[in-house]
Amino acid sequence: MKKNTIGTVVWIVISGLLLTAGCKPSVRDLPDAGREPVIEPDYSGVTIPPNIAPMNFIIKEEGKYFIVEASSVNGYSKTVRSRNGVIRFSRGSWKKLLSESIGDSISINVISEDSKGTLGKYNTFSLFVAKEPVDPWISYRLLYPGYESYKQIVIRQRNIESFRENSVVENQLLKTNCVNCHSFCNNDPDKMLIHVRGSVGGTYFYDGKKVTRMDLKADGMKFGAVYPAWHPGGKYIAFSSNSIVQSFHASQEYNVEVTDLESSLVVYNTETNIMLPVDGSDTISYMETFPEWSPDGKYLYYCRAVETKDTSDFKRIKYDLVRKAFDEVSTGFGKAELIFDARSVDKSVSFPRVSPDGKYLIFTLHNNGNFSIWHKEADLYLIDLQTGKTEKMSVNSDETESWHSWSSNGRWLMFSSKRGDGLTARPYFAYFGPDGQMGRPFVLPQKDTDLYRRMIKTFNRPEFMTGRIKADPRDFGRASGTEALKARWGGAKVSSADK
């Protein structure tokens, strides 16, 4: 028989085994590998949202032919055949599988034929389908993982219910300047900003209709405004105003280190165009960075370290997690309250993010400094803000975990991880249960199952969005040709703690 004829017969036999009930031989009679198949990405045992794109994968096993049956608890099933191990589900059948499995699981069975023509099966593995959906869109900065070039930087948005994706900002249309720190108010795509550094520098605001270029370094400010955090009401945005320096070391452990020489917090009023300092009554000079509001707007969380002018001994720079009460009417702040004493455990904190219900806070913990993306030991930690209990999260790997974002319903966490190759960051998702328990994390599904292996660019600062950003790169390009509107300095502000 010809080779293609043999293949056809094999498919008929395997399909018959799967679809025929009560006939002998059955699937149960096939030789059993005694284990689950090795697949990439590894989706076995993960908890997924009911509105996620098809979880395509490749079977990393020896075999001439593969057949995969995905089944819902209600009896709906979809069969996918493959000669090369690549398994792709159609969007329609995948949506049907999800809808039939909400609150339960999708079972995946894999049968293969080896080079000798022997049929075999692997243990069934499952994907658990949560009841709560995830925000349908995400955005991220796509760039090369090195520090030496930023000639190709784009901010992309992706519909995670499908594989639809497009660019929002491209620095090729901004004179190849550096683009960073895209940020949203309550995951709202119509309340966003990005920073641009260089000849067309400024902070670009998008309100759902137009892009406006702003210069937030008001006269009276020593440094510019970076690392934004929107107040939940949308009126205020907290920033860190920093003097940042990069250090390069002949060390595999720390070949790049980003540190602050000086940093303080400021708050921008979007309605009055006034920038105010966040003053305090501390007798010790601190470097303050990475602000984050509580969802009720009553507290401003941030990271602080004792100020130093000597960054040569960068391993001694440790940031604690603190917060200050905020009075929205007077824009006054209370005294700093220590939330997590990282120095007491010889560690440092960055990237605090509070859950939408205000009960939890996740931060990145690493050995020193505040720029954890270069730290292999960086892990995610969870604080129960009601009890103060702090614990290392189960989603961590042996590689870098850094930036993270909450879905608007608080049931999904997206975080940046280098667990694939130690160099390029990918967006991972994990279910966050009502009791704080985490599901097994999974990487963002792609139509091309080989994409992550081939792509050398990194996914930076992934953020959830409740919808699509309607602006495109040309809108930001046109705004770059306008004169930046300069913010006004509000002068020295007396904090409520000093009154």
Side-chain angles (χ1 to χ4, degrees):
M1 296 177 67
K2 293 182 179 180
K3 185 176 181 180
N4 61 345
T5 306
I6 294 173
T8 302
V9 172
V10 168
W11 286 127
I12 292 173
V13 171
I14 295 177
S15 299
L17 290 175
L18 285 173
L19 299 175
T20 305
C23 297
K24 300 296 183 179
S26 70
V27 173
R28 290 188 297 273
D29 297 321
L30 293 178
D32 194 334
R35 59 177 175 83
E36 294 181 5
V38 176
I39 64 172
E40 188 178 295
D42 183 5
Y43 291 140
S44 174
V46 301
T47 300
I48 61 176
N51 59 328
I52 193 70
M55 308 284 282
N56 298 332
F57 59 87
I58 183 169
I59 302 170
K60 308 294 284 187
E61 301 282 358
E62 292 292 331
K64 292 171 60 178
Y65 303 100
F66 297 92
I67 188 164
V68 170
E69 184 190 48
S71 305
S72 72
V73 68
N74 293 328
Y76 175 78
S77 66
K78 174 64 180 177
T79 301
V80 181
R81 301 171 176 85
S82 173
R83 295 177 181 269
N84 58 6
V86 174
I87 305 300
R88 293 193 179 100
F89 298 94
S90 68
R91 189 180 179 191
S93 62
W94 181 254
K95 287 181 69 175
K96 179 70 171 176
L97 277 169
L98 289 173
S99 65
E100 293 283 335
S101 307
I102 293 175
D104 211 287
S105 61
I106 298 172
S107 298
I108 308 289
N109 287 290
V110 176
I111 292 176
S112 66
E113 184 214 6
D114 64 20
S115 58
K116 297 179 180 179
T118 303
L119 301 180
K121 62 184 176 69
Y122 295 89
N123 290 355
T124 302
F125 66 92
S126 299
L127 287 72
F128 302 96
V129 183
K131 296 179 180 180
E132 303 92 336
V134 69
D135 291 348
W137 288 82
I138 64 171
S139 59
Y140 48 84
R141 190 168 65 142
L142 196 64
L143 72 165
Y144 289 108
Y147 52 82
E148 65 278 355
S149 175
Y150 53 81
K151 289 187 177 181
Q152 292 184 24
I153 298 178
V154 297
I155 293 178
R156 302 279 288 176
Q157 63 176 346
R158 158 78 189 270
N159 184 332
I160 60 176
E161 297 179 339
S162 67
F163 300 112
R164 179 183 178 188
E165 185 177 14
N166 65 277
S167 292
V168 178
V169 182
E170 297 180 357
N171 76 334
Q172 295 289 316
L173 298 180
L174 297 172
K175 300 184 178 180
T176 66
N177 287 299
C178 184
V179 175
N180 55 35
C181 287
H182 57 287
S183 178
F184 304 88
C185 180
N186 301 325
N187 300 13
D188 186 349
D190 291 340
K191 284 188 177 180
M192 70 165 290
L193 66 83
I194 64 164
H195 289 313
V196 178
R197 292 183 294 179
S199 59
V200 293
T203 301
Y204 290 64
F205 285 79
Y206 176 64
D207 63 1
K209 297 179 181 179
K210 64 178 181 178
V211 179
T212 303
R213 181 185 174 198
M214 303 288 298
D215 179 1
L216 298 186
K217 186 181 178 183
D219 294 335
M221 290 177 62
K222 193 174 181 180
F223 309 109
V226 295
Y227 307 146
W230 290 75
H231 188 272
K235 180 178 179 179
Y236 301 103
I237 307 173
F239 295 91
S240 179
S241 183
N242 304 43
S243 173
I244 302 172
V245 62
Q246 289 190 99
S247 304
F248 304 97
H249 307 278
S251 166
Q252 287 188 330
E253 182 183 9
Y254 297 112
N255 56 0
V256 182
E257 188 67 29
V258 180
T259 54
D260 290 340
L261 295 177
E262 296 180 58
S263 59
S264 59
L265 299 180
V266 292
V267 172
Y268 176 65
N269 188 321
T270 62
E271 296 179 358
T272 64
N273 192 33
I274 292 177
M275 186 74 77
L276 294 170
V278 178
D279 287 342
S281 57
D282 298 306
T283 57
I284 299 175
S285 295
Y286 290 103
M287 297 185 291
E288 301 166 326
T289 191
F290 295 134
E292 163 77 354
W293 297 99
S294 61
D296 60 8
K298 294 181 179 180
Y299 289 95
L300 181 65
Y301 291 83
Y302 59 97
C303 305
R304 75 174 187 186
V306 176
E307 188 173 271
T308 178
K309 299 297 183 182
D310 180 15
T311 60
S312 60
D313 192 4
F314 62 91
K315 291 185 179 181
R316 296 184 60 184
I317 301 175
K318 314 283 185 179
Y319 284 78
D320 296 324
L321 176 65
V322 297
R323 73 178 183 184
K324 288 184 176 182
F326 176 64
D327 184 339
E328 188 172 353
V329 176
S330 67
T331 64
F333 287 87
K335 292 182 178 180
E337 176 187 357
L338 183 64
I339 302 300
F340 181 77
D341 187 354
R343 286 183 296 173
S344 68
V345 293
D346 198 31
K347 294 289 184 179
S348 191
V349 169
S350 62
F351 305 148
R353 303 297 296 270
V354 184
S355 62
D357 60 9
K359 295 180 179 180
Y360 300 95
L361 182 148
I362 294 176
F363 62 82
T364 307
L365 192 68
H366 38 97
N367 287 343
N368 58 271
N370 63 31
F371 220 70
S372 58
I373 63 172
W374 299 111
H375 287 247
K376 180 177 179 178
E377 81 285 354
D379 285 320
L380 300 181
Y381 278 71
L382 177 73
I383 296 181
D384 185 328
L385 293 176
Q386 300 167 101
T387 65
K389 181 182 178 182
T390 304
E391 59 184 351
K392 184 177 179 179
M393 300 183 71
S394 62
V395 299
N396 292 296
S397 69
D398 294 333
E399 297 292 343
T400 305
E401 270 73 49
S402 54
W403 187 260
H404 41 280
S405 172
W406 291 93
S407 65
S408 56
N409 62 8
R411 286 291 164 260
W412 298 95
L413 178 70
M414 177 171 55
F415 61 97
S416 177
S417 177
K418 294 183 179 180
R419 66 188 61 194
D421 58 12
L423 177 65
T424 53
R426 309 302 190 203
Y428 279 76
F429 300 80
Y431 179 72
F432 189 87
D435 55 357
Q437 295 299 306
M438 301 297 302
R440 185 167 181 257
F442 63 92
V443 72
L444 173 68
Q446 300 288 351
K447 185 176 183 179
D448 180 358
T449 58
D450 202 36
L451 178 69
Y452 291 127
R453 187 187 64 82
R454 292 185 291 100
M455 178 181 281
I456 61 174
K457 289 187 177 181
T458 194
F459 293 70
N460 181 261
R461 197 180 170 109
E463 292 279 2
F464 279 117
M465 304 185 301
T466 56
R468 181 179 68 88
I469 302 168
K470 295 181 286 293
D472 64 31
R474 292 168 297 179
D475 296 314
F476 288 90
R478 283 190 289 268
S480 71
T482 64
E483 184 177 355
L485 177 63
K486 196 173 187 64
R488 294 180 291 130
W489 184 241
K493 180 70 180 178
V494 179
S495 74
S496 59
D498 296 329
K499 292 181 179 179

